[in-house]
Amino acid sequence: MRRLTPARFAGALLVLLGLLLLAMTYGLCVGASALSPIRVAEVLLGDTSNEVARDIVLRIRLPRVALGALVGASLAAAGVLFQALLRNPLADPFILGISGGAALGGIAVLGFGGLLGLGYQAVPPAAFLGAILATLLLYAVTGLRGRLSATSLLLTGVVFNAFASAAIVFIASLSGLTEGASIFLWLIGSLSSVDGPALGWVAAFLALGLAITFPIARGLNLLSLGEESAEQLGVAIERHKRIILLATSLMVGAAVSVSGLIGFVGLIIPHLLRLLIGPDHRLLLPASVLGGAAFLVVCDALARTLMEGRELPVGAVTALAGGPLFLFLLRRYQQRAFAT
Amino acid sequence: MTHALRFEGVSIDLGARRVLSGVDLELGRGELVALAGPNGAGKTTLLRAATRTLSPCEGRIVLGRDPLSDLSRRSLAQRVAIVPQETQIPFPFSALEVVLMGRSPHLNWLGFESEEDVAIARRAMESVGVGELAERSILELSGGERQLVIVARALAQSPEVLLLDEPTAFLDLKNRTQVLSLVRAWVREEGRSALVVSHDLGLAAQAADRVALVAEGCVQGVGPPEEVLTAENLQRAFGVEATVIEGPGGKPVVVPRLR
């Protein structure tokens, strides 16, 4: 892999930006009634002659494509950050239990919200609250004597996720058929419920998360050498870990609260990009943002069109496409690792 | 001789256990000192104190003229480098990228490495003999090759003081000799200093200007290899009977006796 230079950095990001724009165009064109890219472009440029096309593009598809891009970007960025933090290429955005907290919060409202007079619109805030509470719990359990240990973070996350899953099963078994169906949709992840404010929140937390983690991207490279070596090379390691945890909890919490648990994006995109552009986090992090966005937009377009007349949950598509892809990548990785 | 690094009555506690007590040790400019002693004697702790990973509960450490505790994290990283016993890297960085990480205390915030940084890194790799591995993934290298890359990484850091923690534990005879000759040449020619933990007493005696014998958290003796590595001292530090014979250049060779 060639060394990272400003030219390579800019080149790779431009290519990925192009891919994202292509993916978004595709997402705006396909659906129950297909539109040509030219028609979509006309509408986006302010052509008001065709009311129906205008409605489809601007009111139905654009918010959904935008949400797909934002959620995909958030999950892929969180994946890169967790993999760097835990020094484990198999970590995903859901590994530390932040998503478990979000799912538990959201599903508690889905299952029991009716009893308290809470409607569906209370689900995302409850889920986000769940994510924040899970992060605080993570801090409280692992942040002893001012140091966060990666091993305790991982153990606490795994245990908390198991606990959250059990609680979700418990809630699901107590709730009725309708609630059960929406709980199921939530667990597998879907972009079908999208509204303006949700878009704003996800965008805001993604922007905040990236703003605080881009400046430490080189520190993430040094973290690969081990925490002690990174510290000896001048990285303020505990501060970095806190920044990563804050950024990921905001991004994952916001993404999960509007779309449920969409799997594989946060695991596969960082891996795929590491194979293509190398492991340097200064490029990998922004590249994963663009790549994750493009991947989820395409998966959601497929989810809307694969089966005529009905929509698949996008989480099923990412898992169906992502599972085999991931195994393929893992095999290639291992072959390379043992090639000598 | 001016001092590059000085331990002044340094004591360190790990939990309730005192691991080092009242260590006084000086490392001169242009000097290579080997730390020898049994496992668990506190040699690694001494190095970790010099990188400020551990803080002394008594005494202080002085780098050049500056107390270690006064230095910023960055300037400490510019002046002290360490080669740990083992480094596991989870991601497929190229060997050159790993060596370039050594330049990071010298870069500006979020900066890219300059051509000069790359030249320094390549020179460091050449000098360690791993120049041809530059583009290879670190995951594909053998344990020994990886350790040589880490040594190059530390050299690329251009420190005043280089700390090596059993740098040759996983290396074969040729690479062992190469690393220690290289560190010795680097110390002599550039007027830098190195503190090397080694269990290979013969090689340590050949390479080092002085040997410090560490046992039970104290420095039991410091001096030229032939004065420190004596049968009595080794019996006291390691509890092992050994014959010390004169090797090449009058340096001691330790032959342990089996019971």
Side-chain angles (χ1 to χ4, degrees):
Chain A
M1 192 57 56
R2 278 183 50 235
R3 190 173 63 77
L4 187 60
T5 58
R8 204 163 82 75
F9 179 82
L13 290 186
L14 276 177
V15 169
L16 282 162
L17 189 63
L19 278 179
L20 175 58
L21 291 177
L22 273 180
M24 292 181 79
T25 310
Y26 175 65
L28 291 173
C29 289
V30 302
S33 59
L35 297 172
S36 73
I38 294 169
R39 167 56 45 83
V40 168
E42 282 170 1
V43 170
L44 288 178
L45 292 172
D47 177 13
T48 51
S49 60
N50 187 335
E51 272 304 316
V52 180
R54 199 175 149 74
D55 254 13
I56 291 177
V57 171
L58 294 184
R59 302 214 11 219
I60 300 175
R61 288 191 193 154
L62 188 60
R64 179 147 180 176
V65 165
L67 185 69
L70 290 170
V71 168
S74 302
L75 294 177
V80 170
L81 292 169
F82 274 141
Q83 289 168 8
L85 172 71
L86 300 170
R87 306 184 61 235
N88 186 338
L90 292 178
D92 78 353
F94 303 158
I95 201 163
L96 288 191
I98 294 168
S99 56
L104 190 54
I107 284 168
V109 170
L110 278 177
F112 300 141
L115 303 174
L116 304 167
L118 293 172
Y120 191 80
Q121 64 278 12
V123 171
F128 191 71
L129 188 67
I132 299 306
L133 288 178
T135 311
L136 290 178
L137 180 83
L138 210 54
Y139 261 125
V141 174
T142 58
L144 296 172
R145 277 177 267 123
R147 287 187 93 92
L148 289 168
S149 131
T151 317
S152 340
L153 278 177
L154 200 55
L155 280 173
T156 312
V158 168
V159 169
F160 184 73
N161 263 337
F163 170 80
S165 309
I168 288 166
V169 169
F170 181 69
I171 293 172
S173 65
L174 288 183
S175 51
L177 219 54
T178 338
E179 291 88 359
S182 42
I183 289 175
F184 172 74
L185 203 60
W186 228 81
L187 283 178
I188 199 148
S190 160
L191 294 167
S192 55
S193 57
V194 48
D195 59 32
L199 273 177
W201 282 115
V202 180
F205 285 123
L206 174 64
L208 183 62
L210 294 179
I212 60 176
T213 48
F214 275 149
I216 63 167
R218 204 180 61 220
L220 299 183
N221 289 346
L222 301 179
L223 195 50
S224 312
L225 298 170
E227 289 187 14
E228 215 167 293
S229 292
E231 201 162 20
Q232 285 152 359
L233 281 164
V235 175
I237 198 85
E238 293 304 318
R239 198 176 127 255
H240 276 40
K241 287 198 273 189
R242 284 183 165 68
I243 289 175
I244 294 173
L245 212 52
L246 176 65
T248 47
S249 63
L250 295 177
M251 294 192 296
V252 172
V256 171
S257 70
V258 295
S259 63
L261 302 175
I262 299 175
F264 280 98
V265 182
L267 184 63
I268 289 176
I269 294 301
H271 269 275
L272 186 65
L273 287 170
R274 230 180 251 121
L275 284 176
L276 294 173
I277 60 172
D280 194 318
H281 291 90
R282 288 172 291 183
L283 176 57
L284 184 62
L285 184 57
S288 295
V289 168
L290 297 173
F295 178 74
L296 196 57
V297 167
V298 170
C299 284
D300 186 49
L302 293 175
R304 285 185 281 128
T305 51
L306 275 180
M307 290 172 73
E308 201 141 337
R310 62 179 298 183
E311 187 180 315
L312 290 168
V314 69
V317 177
T318 57
L320 284 175
L325 181 65
F326 182 70
L327 292 180
F328 169 74
L329 290 179
L330 193 66
R331 210 178 131 70
R332 264 200 60 183
Y333 243 157
Q334 284 176 334
Q335 276 169 351
R336 277 170 40 144
F338 296 115
T340 47
Chain B
M1 184 160 53
T2 46
H3 300 298
L5 185 69
R6 199 163 69 235
F7 296 82
E8 298 177 350
V10 171
S11 297
I12 288 183
D13 293 339
L14 283 183
R17 207 164 67 89
R18 175 141 297 192
V19 195
L20 286 181
S21 50
V23 168
D24 290 301
L25 185 66
E26 291 162 356
L27 178 66
R29 277 191 214 289
E31 189 183 36
L32 194 161
V33 171
L35 289 176
N39 295 124
K43 304 183 298 294
T44 299
T45 305
L46 205 59
L47 296 194
R48 292 175 82 203
T51 58
R52 220 168 56 189
T53 304
L54 298 173
S55 304
C57 54
E58 286 166 21
R60 63 171 193 164
I61 301 168
V62 183
L63 179 67
R65 291 155 182 263
D66 309 306
L68 212 59
S69 50
D70 289 356
L71 293 173
S72 74
R73 202 188 295 276
R74 186 177 150 93
S75 71
L76 179 62
Q78 288 169 348
R79 298 172 62 181
V80 176
I82 184 166
V83 176
Q85 283 174 17
E86 210 191 346
T87 304
Q88 293 289 352
I89 299 174
F91 302 117
F93 286 100
S94 73
L96 178 61
E97 283 176 314
V98 172
V99 176
L100 273 171
M101 289 180 191
R103 295 304 299 161
S104 60
H106 301 277
L107 303 178
N108 52 16
W109 213 57
L110 243 190
F112 288 94
E113 295 83 3
S114 67
E115 287 307 316
E116 193 196 338
D117 291 314
V118 177
I120 291 172
R122 285 201 186 274
R123 254 200 320 275
M125 294 188 84
E126 292 298 337
S127 70
V128 187
V130 290
E132 76 284 3
L133 300 181
E135 308 304 326
R136 294 263 299 277
S137 159
I138 196 80
L139 300 182
E140 295 171 3
L141 303 185
S142 72
E145 289 171 327
R146 194 166 59 225
Q147 185 68 341
L148 292 173
V149 170
I150 296 297
V151 172
R153 204 255 309 129
L155 290 179
Q157 210 172 327
S158 317
E160 295 164 22
V161 174
L162 181 60
L163 309 166
L164 299 106
D165 193 355
E166 288 178 53
T168 58
F170 297 101
L171 300 182
D172 63 23
L173 192 60
K174 170 175 174 271
N175 286 331
R176 252 169 216 235
T177 316
Q178 167 140 10
V179 165
L180 280 180
S181 328
L182 173 83
V183 170
R184 191 172 64 162
W186 177 82
V187 163
R188 299 253 163 95
E189 286 157 23
E190 309 208 13
R192 313 292 178 100
S193 315
L195 196 54
V196 184
V197 171
S198 182
H199 285 300
D200 188 333
L201 299 179
L203 211 52
Q206 287 288 324
D209 298 301
R210 288 188 301 151
V211 174
L213 200 55
V214 183
E216 290 167 357
C218 302
V219 173
Q220 310 257 350
V222 200
E226 57 276 16
E227 287 175 25
V228 174
L229 296 177
T230 60
E232 303 80 61
N233 283 345
L234 293 171
Q235 167 74 44
R236 203 147 37 99
F238 290 90
V240 165
E241 275 193 48
T243 309
V244 180
I245 54 178
E246 201 179 301
K251 304 288 186 185
V253 174
V254 176
V255 185
R257 235 176 284 159
L258 296 181
R259 266 183 289 202

